[in-house]
Amino acid sequence: MSLWADKYRPNSLQKVDYHQDQAQHLTNLVNQGDFPHLLFYGPNGAGKKTRILALLRQLYGPGVERLRTEHMNFMTPSNKKFEIMTVASNYHIEVNASDAGMYDRIVVMELIKTVAQTHQLDSTKQRHFKVILLTEVDRLTKEAQQALRRTMEKYMATCRIILCANSIGQVIPAIRSRCLAVRVPAPTHEDICKILKTICKKEGLTLPDELALIISQNCERNLRRAILMLEASKVKQYPFDVKQSVVVPDWQLYIGDTAKQILSQQTPGKLLEVRSMLYELIVHGIPTNVIFKFLLKELVKNCDISLKHDIVEIASFYEHSLLKGNKTMFHLEAFVAKFMLLYSKFMEESLHGIF
Amino acid sequence: MILVKLIEDDDGLGSPPEWAAVEMQGELETRRHTPLERQYVGDLFATIHDGVPILIIGHHILYGKAQTFEKPFAVMKKKPDADEYVVEAIVTKKLLFKNRPKPIIACNSDDL
Amino acid sequence: MDYLDPEEEFEMMHADELEMMNEMDFTTDAVKICSPKDTRRSLKFSTRFSSNEKIESERSFNLSSELNGVFPLSQTSVVSFNLDDNNENEAQPSTSASIINNKRYLDVEDLFGNTDDINFEDEELEPVLKRQKVDPLSDKDIKQQDLIKKIIDQRKKFKSGKRSNFLSSISYNSSNHTQPYESVSRRVPSWSFFPACDGENQRVYIRFRSADAVHEEISSLSWHTKSVQLLSDPVDEMIARAYEKIENNEAIRSGVNRNGVSILDNSIDNTAELWVQKYKPNRYLDLLSDESTNRMLLQWLKIWDKVVFNKEVNKKRKVIDVYDKSAGNKFTKKNQTLDEGLDENNCPKYKLALLCGPPGLGKTTLAHLVARQAGYNVVEMNASDDRNLTCFKRQLEATTQMCSVMSNDSRPNCLVLDEIDGAPVASIEFLIKFATEKRATRKKKTDKKEEKSFILKRPIICICNDVYVPALRNLRQNAFVLNFPPTSSVRLVERLMEISSYENIKTDMGAMTALGTKTNNDIRSCLSTLSCFRNQSVHLSHVKNANIGAKDMQKGLFTVWQEIFQIKKSCFENNPNSTSDGFSSQNNVMKDRINSVLKTVQSYGDYEKLCQGIFENYLILKPKDSSLTNIAEGLEWFCNFDKMMHVINSSQNYSLFPYLPYNFATWHCLFATFTWPKITYPSAAYEATMKKNKFKQIMDELMSGIIPSIRTFLHRDQVLLDTMPLLMHIAIPNLRSISTQLFTQKEKEDLAKVVNIMIDYGLNYFQERDADGSFNFVLNPCVDDAVKFPGLETFPTSSYATKQLISREIELEHLRKRMSHGELNDIIVEPDGLDENEKNVSTPKGVKGSRNKQVTPNHLQRLTPKIVGSTKVTKKKDFFGREIDSPAGHKHKEFRDEIVKSDVWFHFKEGYSNAVRKLVLMKDLY
């Protein structure tokens, strides 16, 4: 009785709706006995976590679904205390180490040590290892990753580590080599439509195909988003109308607005307005790469083909320089200004060309 | 609250027997308010466990310690008419139970 | 025969003379006569006594010349030396009438010289002499006659060789003949002698003296020989020298040339005194700072007269024109109007004065001088003293409440706190508290006794460079703030010209003006620079090219921004910093501009703040052209700056640091205009960070509230981007505003679903009071704020009633869940009532192995004392505190207990039993 995204989530590897062969491989892996460290990676909303939990269920049985949240306290070398929230069951513990910020290395080390040093109670019925699930591994600092690789080797006997990342490029090669990498690709549009339809059927609703397609196109192949959008649209208006506007997260609309502003006028005054809009986005916590991506998408939509190449180039340049610096505003504004310059030049030339 | 109980400790003939006192901190009561005389109270183990006397009353177990009186007591009985007293026994040591009694639990071995 | 100490002897011999000398002290007279002649602007460096010294000795010589001949005086050189000494030590002003006195007095002494060694029968002569000094002119003649007579008598006596007087014998013996020798002796002497008998038939040996020797002696006593002299040099020479000196001095004084500088002996070049010290103004008139400022400080100080000196303040002073119009510069700060009112303790309203201004203006000098002028003794406390709270307190109290006992100086203290902007805040706070204390005693509410606190009754002058330092914020409000305007260039240059002409440095007005501008009118700096040009000529080129004298001045933040955003017109003028000779070409101007910007930025130091300011302001200011080229390029440099800073900060590698100011130079070239820029302080970045933190906190709260089974599937980013915005759309039940019983099945389902969703995500509605008193349901945690964007149409929200309903349902759901947990436990426990007691008791053993279904959860257990065969059993309570009836029939169970063997049970009683001993006598028992 919750969000459809939660309700219809498959909880076993047999029940997943797409990438079934991969699920089959995973089941075999579980059944064969020894179990390696795993590294799941893929875009958001592809189903990594779902598969991991399903895998755990395969390993340990339904007991793994009884979860509780715990707060673990850690002490830094400089005698500073901080707290991390973990979700655990009797068989596994999940933690997001990058929540600790600078001290993620300590979290990784301490946690694994504590967990690895307690053996399972009943050794006959169950596996002899526990599972540690680390999420958002690509956001860990390099030091934490180095610490992780050593710990992974050392405590192999009593615990297995499953890592979950968005992009594998941020994970150091040493860890990549110690794990079995499982790539969970984003579902295709057909997959998404199929799933949406299944959900509607289960809910007893009718969903026109076109609407399903529109939703899947708007959701960036992010299944969670797709389902949520479906539900929101249903709340907004049911019975579904093909023409209805799909409910989209607010920030997307806002970025669209920003892009519109940029395209409307290319002056310093406008730049100032855009700056305040960008500040709003940053303040709400939207990650900067998401801002860049969406902004680029919106801007490129309205540009001529000859410009697209240049714009994408400057976008990538400034996104890269943003990562090298601290102040996001400088780089965002630099990108916008550059774009404005290119765009206005282009417009002038094209106007000039007309006359 | 001293309740002196006497336990015979046969020493020899001639000299009065030596008794020991058991001192507890509390009251003895009966469940059904029967008089207390001639009732079985409990078990006293005075010499086991490295000299730590143990008293078991009902569900409770008391641990105590043995002490000697600096001035021994004498138990005397008055001769009925005369102003004479007969020494029945001499009390030289006492077993002091001043700790809180600990409960005794039935151990179900298959559970634990 | 006992000889007195030479000094004592001398004192006695020459006591009169000495006293006369004292009264003849006209040194201060001379000063007073000379001073009005001096111009206002001159510096007076002559010591007080140098010119008068010789005059003094001249006078003394006159005296001694008249005296001598009658009597051989000993230790003449000593006389003159001591005389001078006495003169210099004495500072008593004397009236000019005393000169006349001395003159008259000389008559007596002239005749008889030193009359001390004459032993008068009646020793009243000495007091008489003394008395004569005190009462001038009156009955002096009569006294003189007596004196003359007596003197003559005594001389006669002495001449007869009588030695009745111990004193006279001593003095005679020590009287300094050229060769001291004895003429008469009672024993056989070593010289040639002639034996004789005296009146008592005692053998006496008399010396033979040659006739030549006698002649010599006589001639040596004459007036005109040089052997008897009071002074080491002959009189004529001395007179000649004295006249020379006078001439010199006159020349010096009149040689005060048109610039008003008196010339001291140039030969004293090796004193190596700092020019700053040497030419420090000693008088109020010599101060270089702005006159009105000086006057204001003096006025403020004068207000203190009432309480310190108990002098009435002259109220008739005209109202001081506070605003310094003479400067004409619109940036001159307006000084406070001086409130001359006194408070109830007769102290001025502002007990502290705060002088502020850039360094090298003369603030410290002014403070010292003015305080001294007003009659205070200045105590200074500056940055080299320990200024933590304890020391500061001690010093403050010592200065203001006490005065010096050792020195003769009985002036009250005035405390000058120099460089107070560097003092610790605690000390400054204490100072303010100390100064603003109104009542003499303060009653503390807690103590019964009154706490005596001191009111400040002495003036305190504080000096600082930067008045806007945060530590001084409080001080500014409680003190009389005097802002020092910069020294006027004209006066500065004049003073520099004086000094340079005095120090034999050839220079001209232009060079001095350039020097002044180069150092920003800082007199200290100018003097230091000038001292490097000793005995040379200083021209304009020297000033410009010299790499000394340029200060690394730190300008204010806004000044720096202004410099970056504005092209200074003075670049086209004679810029002391420019390397060219004044001819400006386009390249040079650019180079100059860049150089000056670089310098300013480098001396400021805080690049990050500067950068932020430029970033926030450059779009607001009207740029040169409205094309975006410049802006785009400028932004590239911003990115560049950011990247460099990141590298520097993360790797602590400061080798890139010197490249940072070039960013600013570029921005100057890109963005600067001629108009005056209105700069706002950059606060947007800070505000943005604050808001961001706030939203982050909301998200954190949300994340920790989500139930675990859902939380495992979520990242924070996903929650933020996907779930929350859409959840806001979803979690709106479509309900009619009617009572709950009337809901259709669908609506009930809807409501239930929404409630479930909200519980899953840990959301709830809470009632809050609005500003205008109305109640409103607010989502908690405030996710809707975090997700909303301005300018967009917001997601639909439910009505007040719906929210209320939802909120209530959520609460109920929570309750139900909790109860279901609790009921589950109760059901587990009840069947085995047998073991109830044991179970109660078994809690201390710890619950190991949660597979034991019979163990009650911890919060339901109660620990009771184990009562054997007790009838009373603790009631089991569930979560709500309601008792659960245990099955009846307990009493029958007792005997089924295996452990309990007897009927007796022990009732333990807490406490100590060692105190109660009651004496029981045997008779009490029977």
Side-chain angles (χ1 to χ4, degrees), chain C residues 826-837 839-840 870-877 883-894 896:
Chain C
D826 288 346
I827 293 165
I828 290 172
V829 163
E830 280 210 31
D832 194 2
L834 219 181
D835 293 331
E836 218 169 276
N837 280 345
K839 259 192 260 97
N840 276 343
S870 64
T871 52
K872 198 167 66 114
V873 180
T874 52
K875 294 277 185 198
K876 293 285 305 341
K877 295 190 179 155
E883 288 184 45
I884 300 173
D885 283 333
S886 46
H890 248 276
K891 293 179 190 171
H892 304 297
K893 285 183 197 143
E894 334 165 1
R896 284 198 260 153

Short mmCIF file of all heavy atoms in Angstrom, two decimals, chain C residues 826-837 839-840 870-877 883-894 896:
data_model
loop_
_atom_site.label_atom_id
_atom_site.label_comp_id
_atom_site.label_asym_id
_atom_site.label_seq_id
_atom_site.Cartn_x
_atom_site.Cartn_y
_atom_site.Cartn_z
N ASP C 826 2.22 -9.79 24.31
CA ASP C 826 1.37 -10.25 25.42
C ASP C 826 0.89 -11.67 25.19
O ASP C 826 0.87 -12.50 26.07
CB ASP C 826 0.17 -9.32 25.56
CG ASP C 826 0.58 -7.99 26.12
OD1 ASP C 826 1.71 -7.92 26.63
OD2 ASP C 826 -0.20 -7.05 26.05
N ILE C 827 0.55 -11.89 23.98
CA ILE C 827 0.01 -13.21 23.70
C ILE C 827 1.09 -14.27 23.92
O ILE C 827 0.84 -15.34 24.40
CB ILE C 827 -0.49 -13.27 22.24
CG1 ILE C 827 -1.69 -12.33 22.10
CG2 ILE C 827 -0.90 -14.68 21.87
CD1 ILE C 827 -2.06 -12.02 20.68
N ILE C 828 2.24 -13.91 23.66
CA ILE C 828 3.32 -14.87 23.84
C ILE C 828 3.50 -15.21 25.31
O ILE C 828 3.71 -16.34 25.69
CB ILE C 828 4.63 -14.30 23.27
CG1 ILE C 828 4.55 -14.25 21.74
CG2 ILE C 828 5.80 -15.16 23.68
CD1 ILE C 828 5.70 -13.53 21.11
N VAL C 829 3.40 -14.23 26.13
CA VAL C 829 3.74 -14.45 27.53
C VAL C 829 2.68 -15.21 28.30
O VAL C 829 2.97 -16.05 29.12
CB VAL C 829 4.00 -13.08 28.19
CG1 VAL C 829 3.96 -13.16 29.69
CG2 VAL C 829 5.35 -12.57 27.73
N GLU C 830 1.45 -14.95 28.03
CA GLU C 830 0.39 -15.41 28.95
C GLU C 830 0.26 -16.90 29.20
O GLU C 830 0.09 -17.30 30.32
CB GLU C 830 -0.93 -14.86 28.45
CG GLU C 830 -1.11 -13.42 28.86
CD GLU C 830 -2.54 -13.05 29.05
OE1 GLU C 830 -3.31 -13.94 29.44
OE2 GLU C 830 -2.88 -11.90 28.83
N PRO C 831 0.35 -17.74 28.21
CA PRO C 831 0.00 -19.15 28.46
C PRO C 831 0.72 -19.77 29.66
O PRO C 831 0.14 -20.51 30.42
CB PRO C 831 0.38 -19.87 27.19
CG PRO C 831 0.68 -18.84 26.19
CD PRO C 831 0.59 -17.50 26.82
N ASP C 832 1.93 -19.42 29.87
CA ASP C 832 2.61 -20.09 30.96
C ASP C 832 2.65 -19.23 32.20
O ASP C 832 3.64 -18.57 32.48
CB ASP C 832 4.01 -20.47 30.50
CG ASP C 832 4.63 -21.46 31.44
OD1 ASP C 832 3.94 -21.86 32.40
OD2 ASP C 832 5.77 -21.82 31.20
N GLY C 833 1.56 -19.27 32.91
CA GLY C 833 1.51 -18.44 34.11
C GLY C 833 2.39 -19.00 35.21
O GLY C 833 2.78 -18.31 36.14
N LEU C 834 2.67 -20.26 35.05
CA LEU C 834 3.51 -20.92 36.03
C LEU C 834 4.85 -20.22 36.17
O LEU C 834 5.34 -19.93 37.24
CB LEU C 834 3.75 -22.35 35.55
CG LEU C 834 3.75 -23.48 36.57
CD1 LEU C 834 4.03 -24.78 35.88
CD2 LEU C 834 4.68 -23.26 37.73
N ASP C 835 5.36 -20.04 35.08
CA ASP C 835 6.70 -19.49 35.09
C ASP C 835 6.74 -17.99 35.14
O ASP C 835 7.76 -17.39 34.89
CB ASP C 835 7.44 -19.95 33.83
CG ASP C 835 7.66 -21.44 33.88
OD1 ASP C 835 7.77 -21.97 35.01
OD2 ASP C 835 7.70 -22.05 32.82
N GLU C 836 5.61 -17.45 35.48
CA GLU C 836 5.55 -16.00 35.46
C GLU C 836 6.58 -15.37 36.38
O GLU C 836 7.30 -14.47 36.00
CB GLU C 836 4.16 -15.57 35.91
CG GLU C 836 3.67 -14.38 35.12
CD GLU C 836 2.23 -14.16 35.40
OE1 GLU C 836 1.41 -14.83 34.75
OE2 GLU C 836 1.94 -13.34 36.27
N ASN C 837 6.55 -15.88 37.59
CA ASN C 837 7.49 -15.30 38.54
C ASN C 837 8.91 -15.48 38.09
O ASN C 837 9.73 -14.59 38.17
CB ASN C 837 7.33 -15.96 39.91
CG ASN C 837 6.16 -15.36 40.64
OD1 ASN C 837 5.67 -14.32 40.26
ND2 ASN C 837 5.71 -16.04 41.67
N LYS C 839 9.89 -15.88 35.21
CA LYS C 839 10.21 -15.04 34.07
C LYS C 839 10.52 -13.62 34.51
O LYS C 839 11.40 -12.97 33.97
CB LYS C 839 9.04 -15.01 33.10
CG LYS C 839 9.28 -15.93 31.92
CD LYS C 839 8.27 -15.67 30.89
CE LYS C 839 7.25 -16.66 30.96
NZ LYS C 839 6.12 -16.93 31.39
N ASN C 840 9.77 -13.19 35.48
CA ASN C 840 10.05 -11.86 35.98
C ASN C 840 11.48 -11.75 36.47
O ASN C 840 12.17 -10.78 36.24
CB ASN C 840 9.14 -11.55 37.17
CG ASN C 840 7.81 -11.03 36.69
OD1 ASN C 840 7.70 -10.65 35.55
ND2 ASN C 840 6.83 -11.07 37.56
N SER C 870 4.14 -16.21 47.79
CA SER C 870 3.41 -14.97 48.01
C SER C 870 2.07 -15.04 47.31
O SER C 870 1.90 -15.68 46.29
CB SER C 870 4.22 -13.81 47.45
OG SER C 870 4.33 -13.98 46.06
N THR C 871 1.18 -14.35 47.88
CA THR C 871 -0.13 -14.25 47.25
C THR C 871 -0.13 -13.12 46.23
O THR C 871 -0.89 -13.14 45.27
CB THR C 871 -1.21 -13.95 48.29
OG1 THR C 871 -0.77 -12.80 49.04
CG2 THR C 871 -1.36 -15.13 49.22
N LYS C 872 0.69 -12.16 46.47
CA LYS C 872 0.68 -10.99 45.58
C LYS C 872 1.54 -11.26 44.36
O LYS C 872 2.67 -11.67 44.45
CB LYS C 872 1.25 -9.80 46.35
CG LYS C 872 0.90 -8.47 45.72
CD LYS C 872 1.22 -7.35 46.68
CE LYS C 872 2.69 -7.30 46.89
NZ LYS C 872 3.28 -6.06 46.37
N VAL C 873 0.99 -11.05 43.26
CA VAL C 873 1.75 -11.20 42.01
C VAL C 873 1.65 -9.89 41.26
O VAL C 873 0.58 -9.27 41.22
CB VAL C 873 1.17 -12.33 41.15
CG1 VAL C 873 1.96 -12.48 39.87
CG2 VAL C 873 1.17 -13.62 41.94
N THR C 874 2.77 -9.46 40.67
CA THR C 874 2.69 -8.20 39.92
C THR C 874 1.84 -8.40 38.70
O THR C 874 1.91 -9.41 38.01
CB THR C 874 4.07 -7.75 39.44
OG1 THR C 874 4.65 -8.84 38.75
CG2 THR C 874 4.92 -7.38 40.60
N LYS C 875 1.11 -7.38 38.44
CA LYS C 875 0.24 -7.44 37.29
C LYS C 875 1.05 -7.17 36.04
O LYS C 875 1.88 -6.28 35.99
CB LYS C 875 -0.85 -6.35 37.41
CG LYS C 875 -1.79 -6.60 38.54
CD LYS C 875 -2.86 -7.58 38.11
CE LYS C 875 -3.90 -7.75 39.21
NZ LYS C 875 -4.66 -8.98 38.98
N LYS C 876 0.80 -7.91 35.04
CA LYS C 876 1.47 -7.65 33.78
C LYS C 876 0.82 -6.46 33.12
O LYS C 876 -0.40 -6.36 33.10
CB LYS C 876 1.33 -8.88 32.86
CG LYS C 876 2.08 -10.09 33.36
CD LYS C 876 3.57 -10.04 33.18
CE LYS C 876 4.12 -9.79 31.81
NZ LYS C 876 3.33 -9.98 30.67
N LYS C 877 1.65 -5.62 32.59
CA LYS C 877 1.09 -4.44 31.95
C LYS C 877 1.49 -4.42 30.49
O LYS C 877 2.60 -4.76 30.15
CB LYS C 877 1.61 -3.16 32.61
CG LYS C 877 1.16 -3.05 34.01
CD LYS C 877 1.49 -1.69 34.57
CE LYS C 877 0.97 -1.69 35.99
NZ LYS C 877 1.58 -0.82 36.87
N GLU C 883 -3.44 -3.01 32.93
CA GLU C 883 -3.03 -4.29 33.50
C GLU C 883 -3.73 -5.43 32.78
O GLU C 883 -4.87 -5.34 32.39
CB GLU C 883 -3.37 -4.32 34.98
CG GLU C 883 -2.45 -3.41 35.76
CD GLU C 883 -2.72 -3.51 37.23
OE1 GLU C 883 -2.86 -4.65 37.71
OE2 GLU C 883 -2.85 -2.48 37.89
N ILE C 884 -2.95 -6.41 32.63
CA ILE C 884 -3.52 -7.62 32.03
C ILE C 884 -3.79 -8.59 33.16
O ILE C 884 -2.90 -8.89 33.96
CB ILE C 884 -2.53 -8.23 31.04
CG1 ILE C 884 -2.23 -7.21 29.93
CG2 ILE C 884 -3.08 -9.50 30.46
CD1 ILE C 884 -1.15 -7.65 29.01
N ASP C 885 -4.99 -9.05 33.21
CA ASP C 885 -5.32 -9.97 34.30
C ASP C 885 -4.63 -11.29 34.09
O ASP C 885 -4.77 -11.92 33.05
CB ASP C 885 -6.83 -10.18 34.37
CG ASP C 885 -7.48 -8.98 35.00
OD1 ASP C 885 -6.78 -8.30 35.79
OD2 ASP C 885 -8.64 -8.71 34.69
N SER C 886 -3.91 -11.63 35.08
CA SER C 886 -3.29 -12.94 34.97
C SER C 886 -4.31 -13.98 35.38
O SER C 886 -5.23 -13.71 36.14
CB SER C 886 -2.07 -12.98 35.88
OG SER C 886 -2.39 -12.43 37.12
N PRO C 887 -4.12 -15.10 34.88
CA PRO C 887 -5.11 -16.13 35.24
C PRO C 887 -5.13 -16.36 36.75
O PRO C 887 -4.11 -16.27 37.42
CB PRO C 887 -4.64 -17.36 34.47
CG PRO C 887 -3.27 -17.03 33.99
CD PRO C 887 -3.13 -15.58 33.91
N ALA C 888 -6.26 -16.61 37.24
CA ALA C 888 -6.43 -16.74 38.70
C ALA C 888 -5.90 -18.09 39.17
O ALA C 888 -5.49 -18.93 38.39
CB ALA C 888 -7.90 -16.62 39.04
N GLY C 889 -5.95 -18.24 40.40
CA GLY C 889 -5.56 -19.52 40.96
C GLY C 889 -4.11 -19.62 41.32
O GLY C 889 -3.52 -20.69 41.35
N HIS C 890 -3.57 -18.47 41.62
CA HIS C 890 -2.16 -18.49 41.95
C HIS C 890 -1.88 -19.16 43.26
O HIS C 890 -0.86 -19.80 43.46
CB HIS C 890 -1.65 -17.05 42.01
CG HIS C 890 -0.71 -16.77 40.90
ND1 HIS C 890 0.58 -17.09 40.97
CD2 HIS C 890 -0.93 -16.25 39.69
CE1 HIS C 890 1.17 -16.74 39.84
NE2 HIS C 890 0.26 -16.23 39.04
N LYS C 891 -2.80 -18.91 44.14
CA LYS C 891 -2.49 -19.35 45.48
C LYS C 891 -2.32 -20.86 45.55
O LYS C 891 -1.63 -21.38 46.40
CB LYS C 891 -3.63 -18.95 46.42
CG LYS C 891 -3.69 -17.46 46.56
CD LYS C 891 -4.83 -17.04 47.45
CE LYS C 891 -5.01 -15.53 47.35
NZ LYS C 891 -6.22 -15.09 48.03
N HIS C 892 -2.94 -21.48 44.62
CA HIS C 892 -2.85 -22.94 44.70
C HIS C 892 -1.55 -23.45 44.12
O HIS C 892 -1.22 -24.61 44.23
CB HIS C 892 -4.02 -23.56 43.95
CG HIS C 892 -5.31 -23.06 44.49
ND1 HIS C 892 -5.71 -23.29 45.77
CD2 HIS C 892 -6.28 -22.31 43.89
CE1 HIS C 892 -6.88 -22.71 45.96
NE2 HIS C 892 -7.26 -22.10 44.86
N LYS C 893 -0.86 -22.64 43.57
CA LYS C 893 0.35 -23.11 42.89
C LYS C 893 1.53 -23.25 43.82
O LYS C 893 2.52 -23.84 43.47
CB LYS C 893 0.72 -22.14 41.78
CG LYS C 893 -0.21 -22.31 40.62
CD LYS C 893 0.19 -21.41 39.49
CE LYS C 893 -1.00 -21.30 38.54
NZ LYS C 893 -1.15 -20.01 37.97
N GLU C 894 1.38 -22.64 44.97
CA GLU C 894 2.56 -22.59 45.81
C GLU C 894 3.11 -23.96 46.08
O GLU C 894 4.30 -24.17 46.07
CB GLU C 894 2.26 -21.92 47.13
CG GLU C 894 1.12 -20.99 47.02
CD GLU C 894 0.57 -20.60 48.37
OE1 GLU C 894 1.12 -21.06 49.39
OE2 GLU C 894 -0.37 -19.84 48.39
N ARG C 896 3.02 -26.47 44.55
CA ARG C 896 3.54 -27.25 43.44
C ARG C 896 4.99 -26.88 43.16
O ARG C 896 5.65 -27.47 42.35
CB ARG C 896 2.71 -27.00 42.20
CG ARG C 896 1.39 -27.73 42.26
CD ARG C 896 0.80 -27.84 40.87
NE ARG C 896 -0.21 -26.82 40.70
CZ ARG C 896 -0.53 -26.31 39.53
NH1 ARG C 896 0.09 -26.69 38.46
NH2 ARG C 896 -1.48 -25.40 39.44
#
